């Protein structure tokens, strides 16, 4: 009886929270079913209006207008136009973001460009030792190609590791595994105090919480668009270069799209001014315009409200896990302090791979990260408190 | 009267050629209207079955299966699977091509990897001086990052320019401006005789003529898929690494998709064996699967038949231009010899930009390349001889 009444206590709490949720109506902007989808930090759900927009791009823009669409359908300017749509979500004024390529490729551009900005006297790149692997691999390649040394350190160690040799520091705003939110303002200030350049990876923060790129003076940033921005599988990433650094942005991938006069067909390279300088080759229009359409779901949605709901969701999930999951079966890797928490909860759990399979079978979709982590992402645009309660209850049942 | 009878003579010839064209039926595989579309060397036409396939990817694979599609819909393996679909079109056995990123990014991977294969003693990169600009810009960046010198030479000068310092040579199979087909077998052999590595850009040849990558021992090759392969606007490019060089392919963009164990989330990079090593970040699935669908139009179509028709089309176009266009108004930049001709005809013409505008207004779509070139591409899968006759006739009318 006590368990039953506890169940209903949390279920009642969820109901109240959902009723008071000013963002609850946004769920209707997405295609969802009765699965609890807590994997939007890996692949965002499909916004309901996107299929029709993609169909128009394929049938009319490509099929009927064909080559004319580069001008008439705005294909050519899509990378910077969509960059300007992302800008307010990460606290950037217009004209500083271009969309295109993968996150990995943009990390490469940003880190090499940062090293070049730092100049000859500096030959060390610091990288988050717990980073999503691709950032570390690409930073290592950037170091090798620019004659730098790569030094992996935890974000906490960055202030003491910074020095006269430091050229660039590559950090994650939110750790992909633990969900820990790093202190972007303080770390950026420390990097600047040492005369180095800060490159932030926003993959796990953009669309889930305020980033404040301009406000905090971030130098360069990259991020993907298929997680909290719901751009679709493998949708193109973006690159932010702070306005006053753009003239010094010296790209290691100076493709023709970044030329000052791309259709001049000149043999000598001359970089375009502005964010366009971050472009490389011909943009992948289908993926890019699906992303552009997907960004419509943000119309009228303040990032601050998203952040408030995100914290309420993760708070409630931790509470429900505490109630439903038997003592000692999971350990949260995600910080309790709001200032240190992104929009996911990571639970260390024995047999995590198997547990996640069983969760998915029972309609709760998170993901497994080797070796022992259950990862649950909370997308405030479409996840509600009843979802959260159900996910924790199902997890508790599996682990009982 | 003599002009009228000449008109009908060429029109009759076109009719006969179309009636005898064994590939004529392929036109029905595409969405076309009564425009004469001679810009398939810039953006291929839409294959008729692609919209439904893209819709399935968006609505079902993304919308319903969501994250499960990485396995269940074969998203994760798409780069190498689609590479294997392109392989027979360029004369490559399976397992040597991956699809992803832009052509520019793949040129970067290939040139840096070629320099690394060549080893320390070699510090010069030769590049086609008349190349499409992005190849030159990217080769320059690769040279700068690897401590090499970049030396632009015409393809004809390559044999005499090769030497002990040469690490890599970046060449275009077909010149984007003139339509000249370069001698891939002979130039590759010359590069090898000098102990260097050959990187071929196939953007303007793949899908229009046989390439024979394996047969001619090409080391590395790249190409786009939105021209003669009809993959859609900005569809992902591909990278070929000859099988016996794959273990030595040392990518400057070692993203997590190229790791031997990508989901192991290891901090140390270990490259995957095989073509997968050429991958970088998460593939842009919508664009990639549109390309996969588009490649179905090649079912049962031998590249040799495509080449034969291509040459017949460009021969006939040159003949019609000779008849319809007043003497001295245009000059063909495209070689007369079949062995030196790709699948386009480039005509130097005064006021070419304005002339192309008027052609397009009259339903003949080619493109203009600065400063003075009218460029007409002939896609044998959907361009017929009546189209060719009409294009030349309209051009003649404008220039009369």
């Amino acid at each position: 009886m006590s368990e039953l009444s506890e169940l209903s206590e949390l279920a009642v709490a969820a109901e109240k929270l959902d009723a008071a949720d000013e963002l609850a109506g946004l769920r209707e902007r997405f295609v969802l079913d009765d699965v609890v989808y807590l994997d939007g930090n890996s692949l965002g759900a499909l916004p309901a209006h996107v299929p029709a927009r993609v169909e128009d791009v394929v049938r009319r823009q490509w099929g009927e207008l064909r080559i004319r669409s580069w001008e008439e359908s705005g294909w050519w300017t899509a990378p910077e136009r969509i960059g300007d749509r992302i800008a307010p979500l990460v606290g950037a004024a217009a004209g500083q973001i271009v969309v295109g390529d993968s996150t990995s490729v943009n990390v490469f551009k940003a880190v090499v460009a940062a090293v070049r900005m730092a100049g000859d006297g500096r030959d060390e790149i610091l990288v988050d030792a717990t980073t999503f692997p691709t950032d570390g691999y690409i930073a290592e390649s950037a170091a090798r190609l620019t004659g730098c040394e790569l030094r992996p350190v935890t974000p906490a160690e960055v202030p003491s590791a910074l020095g006269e040799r430091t050229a660039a520091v590559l950090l994650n705003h939110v750790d992909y595994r633990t969900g820990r939110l790093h202190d972007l303002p303080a770390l950026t200030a420390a990097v600047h105090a040492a005369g180095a350049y800060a490159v932030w990876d926003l993959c796990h923060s953009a669309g889930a919480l305020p980033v404040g790129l301009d406000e905090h003076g971030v130098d360069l940033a990259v991020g993907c668009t298929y997680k909290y921005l719901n751009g679709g599988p493998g949708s193109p990433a973006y690159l932010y270069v702070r306005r006053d650094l753009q003239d010094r942005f010296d790209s290691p991938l100076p493709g023709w799209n970044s030329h000052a006069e791309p259709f001049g067909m000149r043999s000598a390279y001359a970089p375009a001014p502005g964010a366009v300088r971050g472009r490389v080759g011909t943009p992948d229009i289908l993926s890019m315009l699906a992303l552009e359409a997907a960004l419509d779901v943000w119309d009228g949605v303040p990032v601050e409200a998203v952040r408030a709901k995100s914290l309420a969701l993760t708070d409630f999930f931790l509470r429900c896990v505490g109630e439903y999951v038997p003592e000692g079966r999971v350990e949260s890797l995600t910080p309790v302090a709001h200032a240190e928490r992104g929009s996911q909860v990571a639970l260390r759990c024995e047999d995590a791979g198997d547990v996640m399979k069983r969760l998915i079978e029972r309609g709760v979709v998170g993901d497994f990260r080797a070796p022992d982590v259950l990862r649950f992402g909370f997308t405030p645009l479409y996840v509600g408190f009843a979802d959260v309660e159900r996910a924790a209850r199902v997890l508790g049942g599996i682990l009982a």
Side-chain angles (χ1 to χ4, degrees), chain A residues 3 11 33 43 56 64 88 108 126 143 151 196 229 232 289 302 314 327 343 350 355 359 372 399:
Chain A
E3 194 176 314
D33 45 29
L43 175 66
D56 180 66
E64 294 175 23
F108 184 73
L126 301 184
R151 189 171 156 204
L229 299 180
L289 298 192
T314 50
E327 189 84 21
S343 198
E350 210 176 307
V355 169
L359 275 167
D372 58 0
L399 295 179

Side-chain angles (χ1 to χ4, degrees), chain A residues 179-182 209 307-308 310-316 318 334-343:
Chain A
R180 177 181 291 273
L181 171 66
H182 294 122
L209 50 91
R307 173 61 169 164
S310 161
L311 288 171
L313 288 166
T314 50
D315 273 347
F316 189 59
L318 288 167
T334 304
V336 171
H338 283 183
E340 295 175 6
R341 192 194 304 162
S343 198

Side-chain angles (χ1 to χ4, degrees), chain A residues 315-400:
Chain A
D315 273 347
F316 189 59
F317 183 67
L318 288 167
R319 177 180 157 198
C320 291
V321 166
E323 298 284 352
Y324 288 136
V325 175
E327 189 84 21
R329 293 290 279 117
V330 298
E331 175 201 1
S332 174
L333 301 175
T334 304
V336 171
H338 283 183
E340 295 175 6
R341 192 194 304 162
S343 198
Q344 73 177 54
V345 171
L347 302 177
R348 182 175 286 150
C349 176
E350 210 176 307
D351 299 325
D354 183 54
V355 169
M356 185 50 71
K357 268 186 205 147
R358 293 166 67 193
L359 275 167
I360 291 169
E361 281 163 17
R362 297 180 196 194
V364 175
V365 178
D367 60 24
F368 162 62
R369 283 291 172 262
D372 58 0
V373 172
L374 299 172
R375 201 175 69 155
F376 301 95
F378 297 85
T379 302
L381 301 188
Y382 54 74
V383 172
F385 294 90
D387 296 324
V388 166
E389 188 271 341
R390 183 176 147 203
R393 184 160 33 88
V394 172
L395 177 64
I398 290 169
L399 295 179

Side-chain angles (χ1 to χ4, degrees), chain A residues 4-325:
Chain A
L4 269 178
S5 65
E6 196 157 87
L7 271 174
S8 48
E9 191 192 314
L10 288 172
V12 168
E15 206 171 295
K16 279 187 188 163
L17 287 163
D18 278 328
D21 174 15
E22 59 180 3
L23 302 182
L26 297 175
R27 185 182 168 93
E28 284 170 22
R29 300 186 183 180
F30 293 86
V31 175
L32 290 161
D33 45 29
D34 58 356
V35 159
V36 177
Y37 191 64
L38 302 182
D39 213 3
N41 56 333
S42 183
L43 175 66
L46 172 67
H49 67 289
V50 163
R53 293 275 290 275
V54 172
E55 186 172 8
D56 180 66
V57 172
V58 175
R59 288 192 191 270
R60 188 180 60 83
Q61 296 184 10
W62 174 15
E64 294 175 23
L65 300 178
R66 288 183 291 263
I67 198 73
R68 290 163 51 192
S69 275
W70 282 107
E71 279 192 31
E72 291 177 30
S73 303
W75 289 355
W76 182 260
T77 51
E80 49 270 24
R81 181 177 72 243
I82 304 172
D84 283 347
R85 292 285 303 278
I86 293 172
L89 300 176
V90 292
Q96 300 176 102
I97 295 181
V98 282
V99 172
D101 306 307
S102 64
T103 305
S104 300
V105 168
N106 282 299
V107 167
F108 184 73
K109 296 178 207 168
V111 173
V112 172
V115 167
R116 288 173 172 173
M117 286 174 190
D120 282 345
R122 293 175 178 265
D123 65 353
E124 190 173 76
I125 299 169
L126 301 184
V127 64
D128 179 351
T130 60
T131 189
F132 185 75
T134 212
D135 294 52
Y137 308 157
I138 294 289
E140 189 173 20
S141 174
R144 176 179 171 194
L145 285 163
T146 56
C148 285
E149 201 172 300
L150 183 71
R151 189 171 156 204
V153 294
T154 65
E157 294 166 339
V158 164
S160 61
L162 287 161
E164 287 181 2
R165 287 183 57 193
T166 315
V169 185
L170 173 61
L171 291 164
N172 298 280
H173 198 192
V174 171
D175 185 284
Y176 80 101
R177 206 173 61 91
T178 63
R180 177 181 291 273
L181 171 66
H182 294 122
D183 190 343
L184 181 143
L187 285 166
T188 302
V191 170
H192 288 171
Y197 290 82
V199 181
W200 284 94
D201 180 332
L202 310 178
C203 283
H204 286 273
S205 62
L209 50 91
V211 178
L213 289 178
D214 286 352
E215 181 187 351
H216 304 302
V218 166
D219 302 303
L220 300 132
V222 304
C224 78
T225 61
Y226 45 76
K227 300 182 190 290
Y228 297 109
L229 299 180
N230 313 299
S235 56
Y238 58 90
L239 171 70
Y240 164 91
V241 182
R242 203 179 69 214
R243 190 180 304 280
D244 62 298
L245 295 176
Q246 290 174 348
D247 285 349
R248 294 167 54 209
F249 181 80
D250 183 0
S251 176
L253 293 170
W256 73 294
N257 274 226
S258 71
H259 196 281
E261 200 192 342
F263 291 94
M265 301 290 154
R266 305 191 183 282
S267 57
Y269 181 69
V276 171
R277 189 176 289 201
R279 288 176 63 164
V280 185
T282 303
D284 52 339
I285 293 300
L286 302 193
S287 292
M288 197 165 278
L289 298 192
L291 164 63
E292 182 173 34
L295 291 170
D296 286 357
V297 300
W298 291 94
D299 287 354
V301 180
V303 180
E304 292 69 21
V306 169
R307 173 61 169 164
K309 181 174 172 185
S310 161
L311 288 171
L313 288 166
T314 50
D315 273 347
F316 189 59
F317 183 67
L318 288 167
R319 177 180 157 198
C320 291
V321 166
E323 298 284 352
Y324 288 136
V325 175

